[in-house]
Amino acid sequence: MSFAQEKIDPKLTEVWAPKVKKVIPGYNNSPPSDAIVLFDGSGFDGWTGKGDTVGWVLNEDGSMTVKPKTGAIKTKQTFGSVQLHLEWKSPLDTIGKKSQKRGNSGVFLQDRYEVQVLDNNNNETYSNGQVGSVYKQSIPLAMASVPTGEWNTYDIIFHQPEFDENGKVVKKATITVLHNGVLIQDHFVIQGPTVYRGEPSYKAHGKASIRLQDHGDLVSYRNIWIREI
Ligand code: MG
């Protein structure tokens, strides 16, 4: 601190308003007090799927499991920028299943932008399609999966894209992902909706659902909550 700085009243740089809202954090894996609970094991009330029904299996342990060929499920409520928490588990049956065909699912922000769910334990695939990738766009910073059959966590911070009145993107979406507490995507700038072939490109859209992918594998999910930001 310089002599001149010592003369400045420190109170001049104290900010007392606005007052910060209180949030009671979750204990024993429960959601924080202001979260919207999307799935707590009690049912599929907040979800819809192919033909306006959810074909996935509700398990007695409070989780749900993909039922292959019944299609993706998505939240009835739509969201913009969010903090999303969810837990997922890869199926133990890995015999004969390689690369993208082992424990594949995915979490789509705004029904468009996929964070890959995949079992990459002793299972290589292309780096920008492995677990924790922003599929075909961003290689994760680490492979932080727990052993196959155990529960993983994803904590995702997503900022929605912004468009001008002509539908042109003026601010691209960004995403940060923690996988089991490990930073694997660090404010990555998403280049457009996830596509399997070719390059992504933005099209204007508003709020949209969180979608979970049915890729034909028996991936399970539990404890899904979200906070709008
Ligand atoms: Mg996938």
Side-chain angles (χ1 to χ4, degrees):
M1 202 187 291
S2 70
F3 179 74
Q5 272 179 310
E6 281 173 20
K7 301 239 164 192
I8 298 170
D9 182 353
K11 285 194 165 34
L12 291 173
T13 46
E14 292 177 0
V15 178
W16 285 71
K19 290 293 177 199
V20 176
K21 76 166 180 175
K22 287 185 181 172
V23 174
I24 301 164
Y27 290 96
N28 298 321
N29 225 20
S30 64
S33 59
D34 66 343
I36 298 165
V37 175
L38 297 177
F39 180 76
D40 64 2
S42 59
F44 293 119
D45 284 355
W47 298 80
T48 186
K50 201 160 71 178
D52 285 336
T53 56
V54 175
W56 291 20
V57 176
L58 196 61
N59 303 310
E60 283 184 2
D61 66 357
S63 67
M64 59 169 149
T65 302
V66 174
K67 188 163 184 194
K69 299 208 186 337
T70 62
I73 65 169
K74 53 184 172 181
T75 58
K76 290 176 183 165
Q77 189 170 347
T78 58
F79 299 97
S81 300
V82 294
Q83 172 187 357
L84 173 66
H85 172 92
L86 58 84
E87 298 169 26
W88 59 269
K89 185 173 77 167
S90 307
L92 280 169
D93 175 20
T94 60
I95 296 164
K97 295 179 173 149
K98 286 187 183 154
S99 187
Q100 294 285 311
K101 295 211 166 93
R102 185 185 295 178
N104 194 335
S105 183
V107 182
F108 286 73
L109 284 301
Q110 292 201 307
D111 208 17
R112 287 167 177 79
Y113 311 105
E114 183 185 12
V115 178
Q116 177 69 298
V117 169
L118 197 68
D119 180 2
N120 283 124
N121 292 315
N122 303 311
N123 177 38
E124 279 198 29
T125 191
Y126 41 96
S127 299
N128 66 349
Q130 74 168 65
V131 62
S133 64
V134 177
Y135 185 75
K136 290 269 179 97
Q137 293 192 32
S138 180
I139 297 169
L141 299 169
M143 194 300 221
S145 293
V146 294
T148 304
E150 295 184 17
W151 287 101
N152 289 270
T153 61
Y154 271 174
D155 288 281
I156 298 172
I157 314 297
F158 172 80
H159 287 274
Q160 67 180 334
E162 293 172 17
F163 302 92
D164 67 15
E165 63 275 17
N166 300 314
K168 187 171 171 281
V169 67
V170 291
K171 195 174 177 191
K172 293 178 177 176
T174 60
I175 193 161
T176 295
V177 182
L178 300 173
H179 181 189
N180 297 319
V182 176
L183 181 68
I184 59 162
Q185 297 289 347
D186 185 9
H187 204 68
F188 173 70
V189 179
I190 295 175
Q191 295 304 305
T194 299
V195 285
Y196 181 51
R197 299 167 202 275
E199 300 296 326
S201 66
Y202 276 104
K203 266 197 193 125
H205 64 83
K207 287 186 170 188
S209 301
I210 303 296
R211 171 165 39 117
L212 302 177
Q213 184 183 45
D214 166 15
H215 202 280
D217 296 325
L218 302 177
V219 174
S220 300
Y221 289 91
R222 72 178 184 188
N223 195 20
I224 307 175
W225 51 260
I226 198 165
R227 298 176 68 242
E228 295 179 297
I229 53 177

